Amino acid sequence: MVDSEKKVFRNDNIAKVTGRAKYADDYTFHGMIHAVPVYTDSVHAEILSIDVTKAEDIDGVRKVLTWKDVPGQMAFGQINKDLYIFAKDKIRYHGDVIALVIADTREIALEASKLVHVELKELEPILDQEKALGDNTNLVNDMHEGNKIAHHHIRRGDAENAFTQCDLIVEREFKTSFVEHAYIEPECAFANPRADGVIELYGTFQHPFSTRRFVSAFLNRQFADFEVFSHPVGGSFGGKDDTISAIAARAALAASIFKVPVKILYDREWSFRESYKRNPYIMKYKYGFSKEGKLKAVNTYMLSESGAVTSTTPWSTWRSTAQCAGPYQVENVHTDVIGVATNNVFTGAMRGFGTPQVNFAIEQMMDISAEELGIDPIELRRINMVRQDCETITGQKLDGHIVSMEEVMDKIITESGYSDNVKKNSRGQSDSDEYYGTGIAISYRGSSVGAEGLDFAACIINCQFDGSIILDTGIHENGQGSQSAMMLALAKEFDVPLSRIKYTRSSTTSIPDSGTTVATRGTMMGISAIRKASIKLRKTIRDTLCDDFRCDPEDIRFENDKLAAGSYSLTWEEAMHKMFLHRTYPFAFGEYKAPRVSWNDDIGVGDAYFTYVYSCNVVELSVNKKTGKVKLLNITAGHDIGRAINEEMVKGQIYGGIAQGIGMALTEELKIEKGKILNPNFNKYKLPKTMDMPEINALIIENEDRSTPSGLKGIGEPATELIAAAISNAVYNATGKRQYSLPIKLEGEK
């Protein structure tokens, strides 16, 4: 067997470790000039005038661009067109850009940016989402009546009547905060105009095709006028889409005017100020149980702060709606999830995309309810969890894949020693300086974008005369290792060594749009497309070479880097050579369309996703009595991801996802006062440090998925969506004090 079975592989490891990998800021072109953004100090104001005269008088300044120089749409967006390339009539948040200074050097541009004068009429900022909702006298954006960005709901059964028949009713309110993506590489965009009129774009793009859509709209030019290249990205986690696309459009606009390369490099403060964050949620939960522990009714009301721009809020609030009750069966559900506009920094996609917030509430509600019922929290989950062929709260029958929620939970309970550790919970009583607590959380997560949009992907397999293979897919590599996984999958399809395969440098010209790198979909969709292309390519090769083998086409086997039938065989190189002698290209284009999903937005019913990832986290921690400091001792995490292609990379995703969840739970707090971020850098925005990370035991559970050709599901977002909930339950079990807001803040005896 060749090394296609290799489970530890990274195609870009040497380039990144040695520093040869080129990130956006590493690119340079002869004759390039620089540009920097100009902000105001307002969060809500009417723009009366913009004077760029003094700035343009500085030697070395080429021009100062404003909204007047934009040839296309002033505003664009993935859902609503309300993200402005330059603010025109109003300042809607502190990160609005009013102008772009273009100069021979970055230093000159920075100096000139201070001389742009803006006359404003200050308006009352609306900064509280509860007060913003329904306010028609002070609108953040005229597009959204009552500052309502989106409203999703579920009406299943008769929740109001069901509550009257319950033996126990539990009501609580939970809040989560803004969270910064905290990628190490800040935004950078580079526009290089070619002689043929096409503008090449390099940058920190999460999804090149999305960037192309934004740039095309802002500049009023066709897609083919732009070629957006893929190259290493220094982290994204959902954060490098809308904002960087607007930055790229500004660079492209400048390049189109001056016909020279233009570079925009952000510093960390600009990145914090302008880029979108994780949506803060206010969640009011009401559960009704029978005395036996059966969850009979759920009522939830949630507000999700969108800030000044729609971005992807309606997609994250939809996911929060579809998964508002967690991995549990409930016959009666009444849910409202509303996205609200304010003048705070805008929010959008971040790893988890609407579920880390609701899981924080759901899994605490289950522990709270178990205590009030006098039922073990594990048993309460077992009574109510989704099972094979059951219906979800949206009326979807779970019969197209293996529903492994109980299997995953039981494996993590056993592996973590949870049953023994729970007996040591302090609940605020301890003879030592530390309280001890262990906590659990479970979840199910719909794979891919689901009913939020259309899901499909493409790939090209191009075998060369000498036996080498070029692979390209429309799935963008953001550092997660999708290229490596797809190379492993292709090697296994033909049983050839990885050394034969080269993943080509993709661009928006070389491969069709295959959707964004979001929603834990990339590897699943890309490898499914590879499977489709491989089927085509094997048929082409067999049909072409069957006469050489003197056999039926289906008798030809692909094994051990050879083609064989009976006693006759060809090496892979010989086979590819013969293909070209037959004048048949060993080339295949593969496309994969995900199974159909459905959604009725009027009542919140439908097959929201075609498959689900099942997950469980168990946390052990201690809390210092005197300081209130939380110390994480151990985390056990398990996920049913369908099938693992690259096991160590899967574990790496789990470790990274947990680190981000720890930050959300314990350390990360974006301090905003009157709409302005007070801690716009990592010296004051507290990320988890290496010393804050505990031992993590990552378990991969594999139940090959029947709904996709690849058998895969994914791990990116499930890895981070439930750790804050598990930590919160553990903190309660340690201290006896329930935590309803994130980040968790504990006061010690001092």
Side-chain angles (χ1 to χ4, degrees):
M1 187 67 69
V2 297
D3 65 355
S4 58
E5 289 294 324
K6 192 173 183 179
K7 292 290 187 176
V8 183
F9 171 65
R10 185 82 198 210
N11 68 316
D12 54 1
N13 56 353
I14 294 175
K16 288 183 174 179
V17 169
T18 59
R20 293 207 307 270
K22 290 187 70 172
Y23 293 82
D25 189 33
D26 294 320
Y27 282 87
T28 184
F29 287 86
H30 176 72
M32 73 178 186
I33 58 178
H34 298 262
V36 302
V38 180
Y39 305 96
T40 74
D41 198 38
S42 294
V43 298
H44 198 199
E46 183 181 337
I47 299 174
L48 302 179
S49 65
I50 303 174
D51 185 359
V52 302
T53 307
K54 290 183 179 179
E56 290 188 330
D57 283 343
I58 298 288
D59 287 342
V61 172
R62 300 285 185 101
K63 187 174 176 61
V64 179
L65 300 178
T66 67
W67 66 269
K68 296 178 182 178
D69 300 291
V70 179
Q73 297 180 29
M74 284 303 306
F76 193 66
Q78 298 192 59
I79 300 173
N80 293 323
K81 294 178 175 60
D82 59 358
L83 175 60
Y84 284 77
I85 182 172
F86 297 118
K88 180 182 178 184
D89 302 314
K90 287 178 70 176
I91 299 296
R92 292 180 173 82
Y93 81 112
H94 200 229
D96 264 333
V97 173
I98 61 162
L100 187 76
V101 179
I102 305 159
D104 292 339
T105 69
R106 177 177 167 84
E107 291 70 26
I108 294 173
L110 286 168
E111 179 188 354
S113 68
K114 301 171 186 175
L115 301 179
V116 176
H117 178 71
V118 187
E119 186 178 356
L120 302 170
K121 178 184 177 182
E122 294 293 338
L123 302 173
E124 180 187 355
I126 185 162
L127 304 171
D128 183 303
Q129 59 174 324
E130 290 185 288
K131 293 178 181 178
L133 186 62
D135 186 352
N136 281 307
T137 62
N138 190 5
L139 295 178
V140 175
N141 192 317
D142 294 341
M143 291 177 64
H144 309 302
E145 185 178 349
N147 292 311
K148 183 187 290 188
I149 295 283
H151 185 181
H152 299 288
H153 52 261
I154 294 175
R155 303 291 185 262
R156 177 175 172 83
D158 186 346
E160 185 177 354
N161 181 58
F163 278 115
T164 66
Q165 302 173 40
C166 291
D167 298 308
L168 173 70
I169 293 176
V170 179
E171 294 186 73
R172 296 290 191 278
E173 182 174 323
F174 303 87
K175 293 183 179 180
T176 65
S177 60
F178 291 96
V179 180
E180 163 67 25
H181 295 80
Y183 28 75
I184 295 300
E185 178 193 32
E187 290 80 0
C188 181
F190 204 125
N192 179 44
R194 294 200 312 236
D196 62 359
V198 171
I199 295 177
E200 296 178 348
L201 290 167
Y202 305 81
T204 56
F205 310 134
Q206 175 178 324
H207 180 57
F209 290 96
S210 180
T211 296
R212 187 178 65 170
R213 284 194 293 273
F214 275 74
V215 176
S216 174
F218 286 134
L219 271 63
N220 193 29
R221 292 173 62 173
Q222 61 184 353
F223 286 176
D225 287 338
F226 305 98
E227 184 169 10
V228 188
F229 286 94
S230 296
H231 54 75
V233 174
S236 173
F237 320 114
K240 288 178 176 174
D241 203 335
D242 293 16
T243 304
I244 185 58
S245 294
I247 295 168
R250 294 173 194 137
L253 175 59
S256 69
I257 292 172
F258 291 100
K259 312 301 182 190
V260 296
V262 176
K263 183 176 186 177
I264 302 177
L265 173 65
Y266 268 41
D267 62 27
R268 185 64 61 185
E269 284 76 13
W270 296 347
S271 177
F272 261 78
R273 180 176 187 169
E274 191 177 335
S275 69
Y276 53 91
K277 317 301 178 193
R278 188 189 296 284
N279 300 59
Y281 273 54
I282 299 172
M283 299 170 284
K284 299 177 181 180
Y285 266 76
K286 180 180 179 181
Y287 278 9
F289 288 90
S290 71
K291 61 184 178 182
E292 294 81 15
K294 180 62 180 173
L295 183 54
K296 307 289 287 184
V298 169
N299 185 298
T300 66
Y301 178 78
M302 305 184 211
L303 299 182
S304 171
E305 187 166 353
S306 184
V309 180
T310 299
S311 187
T312 56
T313 288
W315 289 337
S316 60
T317 52
W318 175 80
R319 185 176 282 268
S320 301
T321 306
Q323 299 183 221
C324 70
Y328 304 107
Q329 302 178 58
V330 193
E331 292 295 328
N332 303 283
V333 181
H334 187 288
T335 295
D336 290 279
V337 184
I338 301 170
V340 185
T342 69
N343 290 116
N344 286 315
V345 61
F346 77 105
T347 58
M350 186 175 180
R351 193 175 189 178
F353 205 56
T355 56
Q357 299 95 322
V358 296
N359 286 335
F360 169 65
I362 293 163
E363 288 303 287
Q364 288 202 88
M365 284 294 289
M366 294 304 287
D367 269 26
I368 293 167
S369 303
E371 186 173 7
E372 295 199 16
L373 285 163
I375 297 176
D376 182 88
I378 298 299
E379 184 59 26
L380 187 64
R381 286 173 171 84
R382 205 181 302 280
I383 290 169
N384 294 287
M385 66 174 50
V386 290
R387 297 180 182 279
Q388 197 69 48
D389 298 327
C390 76
E391 277 195 3
T392 68
I393 61 169
T394 69
Q396 179 177 1
K397 188 175 181 180
L398 298 180
D399 58 357
H401 66 282
I402 294 173
V403 180
S404 59
M405 189 70 263
E406 188 169 29
E407 176 192 356
V408 173
M409 184 180 76
D410 285 345
K411 284 185 176 180
I412 301 310
I413 288 173
T414 300
E415 186 71 21
S416 65
Y418 175 85
S419 299
D420 292 330
N421 292 334
V422 76
K423 299 171 186 175
K424 299 185 291 185
N425 285 335
S426 299
R427 291 289 178 91
Q429 302 294 322
S430 175
D431 295 331
S432 72
D433 291 336
E434 302 285 330
Y435 296 125
Y436 172 87
T438 186
I440 192 169
I442 66 174
S443 70
Y444 79 156
R445 180 181 184 81
S447 290
S448 207
V449 297
E452 298 167 36
L454 300 174
D455 229 341
F456 51 97
C459 87
I460 292 171
I461 305 171
N462 189 356
C463 301
Q464 304 299 298
F465 181 84
D466 65 351
S468 58
I469 305 171
I470 297 171
L471 173 64
D472 192 4
T473 79
I475 303 299
H476 185 45
E477 171 72 56
N478 289 326
Q480 73 273 34
S482 64
Q483 289 183 2
S484 304
M486 286 185 270
M487 290 173 68
L488 281 165
L490 178 58
K492 188 173 182 180
E493 287 288 336
F494 293 93
D495 201 9
V496 297
L498 283 163
S499 57
R500 289 204 179 281
I501 303 171
K502 182 66 66 177
Y503 199 106
T504 188
R505 180 194 190 199
S506 300
S507 80
T508 51
T509 300
S510 67
I511 191 79
D513 189 346
S514 296
T516 52
T517 303
V518 297
T520 315
R521 66 180 293 278
T523 302
M524 174 177 62
M525 298 300 294
I527 291 179
S528 293
I530 288 170
R531 175 66 60 85
K532 292 281 192 177
S534 297
I535 292 170
K536 287 183 182 179
L537 183 53
R538 276 193 295 271
K539 185 179 188 308
T540 299
I541 295 171
R542 282 170 169 152
D543 288 347
T544 303
L545 299 183
C546 62
D547 287 343
D548 294 84
F549 279 85
R550 296 179 175 85
C551 69
D552 292 332
E554 58 271 18
D555 291 336
I556 298 176
R557 305 183 308 277
F558 294 79
E559 58 186 21
N560 200 27
D561 202 25
K562 294 179 181 179
L563 276 69
S567 60
Y568 183 68
S569 68
L570 293 172
T571 65
W572 181 263
E573 290 94 337
E574 290 169 340
M576 293 304 101
H577 190 178
K578 280 184 174 291
M579 287 293 293
F580 279 89
L581 292 178
H582 282 289
R583 295 184 295 180
T584 301
Y585 290 113
F587 171 98
F589 175 80
E591 55 182 322
Y592 170 65
K593 300 175 185 176
R596 286 284 183 182
V597 290
S598 62
W599 188 256
N600 182 331
D601 208 35
D602 293 333
I603 55 176
V605 168
D607 293 351
Y609 304 95
F610 57 84
T611 192
Y612 291 80
V613 175
Y614 298 91
S615 306
C616 178
N617 283 181
V618 167
V619 172
E620 293 179 70
L621 54 76
S622 63
V623 178
N624 187 278
K625 284 182 180 180
K626 294 182 179 180
T627 65
K629 180 175 176 58
V630 176
K631 181 179 181 180
L632 298 170
L633 305 173
N634 195 284
I635 294 174
T636 307
H639 305 270
D640 180 356
I641 62 168
R643 185 164 67 91
I645 297 294
N646 198 343
E647 290 178 359
E648 291 306 311
M649 286 302 299
V650 171
K651 291 179 180 179
Q653 286 285 300
I654 294 172
Y655 303 148
I658 285 173
Q660 289 184 306
I662 289 170
M664 178 182 178
L666 296 175
T667 68
E668 296 185 45
E669 183 179 16
L670 197 70
K671 296 178 180 179
I672 301 179
E673 186 176 295
K674 297 180 181 179
K676 300 176 184 179
I677 298 170
L678 302 182
N679 55 336
N681 213 322
F682 295 146
N683 60 340
K684 293 183 179 179
Y685 182 84
K686 296 181 180 179
L687 295 169
K689 298 184 287 293
T690 305
M691 297 301 292
D692 297 322
M693 295 299 295
E695 289 291 323
I696 300 174
N697 184 13
L699 273 69
I700 302 170
I701 293 97
E702 295 181 276
N703 288 295
E704 191 159 330
D705 197 72
R706 300 191 297 262
S707 60
T708 67
S710 63
L712 305 172
K713 294 182 183 180
I715 188 57
E717 291 172 296
T720 200
E721 71 175 7
L722 71 165
I723 189 64
I727 289 173
S728 301
N729 282 333
V731 166
Y732 173 76
N733 287 328
T735 64
K737 297 177 181 179
R738 182 60 63 184
Q739 305 301 313
Y740 296 103
S741 299
L742 293 180
I744 293 169
K745 297 180 180 179
L746 298 175
E747 293 185 1
E749 293 175 357
K750 291 185 177 181

